Amino acid sequence: MEIPKNHPRYESLIRRNRLIEFYEKGIVTISGLISHGRGEAFDYILGEKSNDYAILSEKAALGLILKSKKPVISVNGNVTALADDAIIEFSKKYGITVEANIFHWSQERIEKIVKHFESKGLSILGRNQNMRIPGLESNRGRCEFEGIFSADTVVIPLEDGDRAEALIKMGKNVITIDLNPLSRTSRAGHISIVDDVNRAFKNMASFDRDESISIYEKFDNSKNIVKILEFMSIRLSSLKDWPDNL
Ligand code: ATP
């Protein structure tokens, strides 16, 4: 579909098109399209940009990643479609392992995600998912020993709440990225980034290391989430110029 550059929702339409393209390639699932809709609705309320609280949590997350012995970023179909280049840049900058890890598991879809990253110059794990996350039945718990299974810190963008909780029960530090601050995933995270996945990785690649570590050492996740909820309600109640100036 041709999208005119001057369309007021150009960026959003481009991203939707990309998700459809990746759905047709067999990387995004049909339920991934629904998840995107939920994320977009929250992003509208957030003003479609990273607010100060998102930035603070992203700095804290980078601090935790830098302090970790073995951080791993988990990528699924939507994350691949929406943030592949940002993840490649971030993971190369800090030498962080990436693993394809999906909720609706199939070897074929894992293979497609791994190949997609390889075609862009980054080798990622996922082909050899020989371990299980305890507490999750069958395929939902699959992961690699060299990756998520032995990681001390896992970054889980757009994750299902059950898997986030299961990773926490394994004793891992869990960094979530989810536009919905009310999701079970956001509520489970040690550091809950409430921001778009692409913006989050781009931001994290740009921060100063030392500043991020010192922010991590003082970071209070619950307080930060409460600030985000306040930000959302203030933003909605201050939109008095509706329908203009959104
Ligand atoms: P949970 O199981 O954690 O309560 P859920 O049922 O909403 O959450 P899913 O549909 O499995 O979870 O996951 C999708 C989540 O990803 C949604 O919470 C949605 O807000 C979020 N999301 C969708 N698109 C984006 C995006 N571009 N960036 C960040 N988060 C997103």
Side-chain angles (χ1 to χ4, degrees):
M1 190 177 91
E2 262 308 295
I3 302 169
K5 280 232 158 78
N6 61 354
H7 190 290
R9 304 287 308 152
Y10 178 77
E11 287 300 328
S12 161
L13 293 175
I14 290 286
R15 283 156 68 82
R16 286 185 182 183
N17 257 12
R18 196 160 156 93
L19 281 163
I20 293 167
E21 186 194 313
F22 277 63
Y23 168 70
E24 283 163 356
K25 283 186 192 168
I27 289 182
V28 166
T29 61
I30 196 144
S31 70
L33 303 179
I34 299 170
S35 299
H36 184 70
R38 179 174 285 176
E40 273 192 335
F42 278 95
D43 209 20
Y44 229 110
I45 299 173
L46 289 163
E48 297 176 299
K49 53 183 182 227
S50 309
N51 57 54
D52 291 349
Y53 309 110
I55 300 276
L56 195 69
S57 62
E58 286 155 3
K59 286 183 176 166
L62 176 61
L64 171 55
I65 289 168
L66 293 173
K67 295 279 272 183
S68 300
K69 287 202 177 69
K70 192 169 176 189
V72 172
I73 301 167
S74 172
V75 294
N76 62 21
N78 281 40
V79 172
T80 304
L82 296 173
D84 50 356
D85 290 340
I87 289 175
I88 292 168
E89 189 194 334
F90 180 66
S91 91
K92 283 191 173 170
K93 178 166 180 182
Y94 291 111
I96 302 166
T97 303
V98 176
E99 176 172 343
N101 201 274
I102 54 182
F103 183 84
H104 301 284
W105 193 90
S106 81
Q107 187 68 52
E108 196 192 347
R109 206 152 72 83
I110 287 278
E111 185 62 33
K112 284 183 177 171
I113 294 173
V114 173
K115 274 205 177 124
H116 176 80
F117 277 92
E118 284 174 351
S119 75
K120 296 191 138 224
L122 183 75
S123 294
I124 71 166
L125 301 179
R127 281 201 179 102
N128 184 29
Q129 291 184 323
N130 47 2
M131 301 302 284
R132 292 266 149 88
I133 300 167
L136 296 177
E137 86 288 354
S138 64
N139 286 337
R140 277 206 308 150
R142 282 172 174 264
C143 63
E144 277 206 24
F145 180 79
E146 289 305 322
I148 289 174
F149 193 83
S150 60
D152 55 351
T153 296
V154 193
V155 186
I156 47 169
L158 284 64
E159 185 56 274
D160 159 70
D162 255 18
R163 295 209 310 176
E165 283 165 10
L167 289 167
I168 286 173
K169 282 199 189 125
M170 284 177 87
K172 300 189 187 300
N173 301 308
V174 169
I175 298 168
T176 64
I177 306 176
D178 190 326
L179 280 159
N180 177 5
L182 306 173
S183 71
R184 283 172 53 225
T185 306
S186 292
R187 284 185 280 146
H190 293 112
I191 297 182
S192 314
I193 298 173
V194 179
D195 201 0
D196 167 65
V197 60
N198 191 49
R199 293 197 301 264
F201 280 105
K202 276 190 168 169
N203 290 341
M204 286 196 287
S206 72
F207 297 142
D208 177 74
R209 297 174 73 110
D210 293 343
E211 185 203 9
S212 299
I213 290 171
S214 83
I215 286 178
Y216 162 62
E217 280 160 358
K218 296 184 290 252
F219 186 70
D220 182 329
N221 196 48
S222 308
K223 268 195 192 152
N224 202 56
I225 288 276
V226 170
K227 292 279 184 198
I228 287 167
L229 291 170
E230 277 171 14
F231 174 89
M232 290 170 112
S233 62
I234 290 168
R235 200 178 116 73
L236 282 178
S237 57
S238 69
L239 293 173
K240 297 201 172 38
D241 295 331
W242 187 90
D244 301 316
N245 301 328
L246 286 185

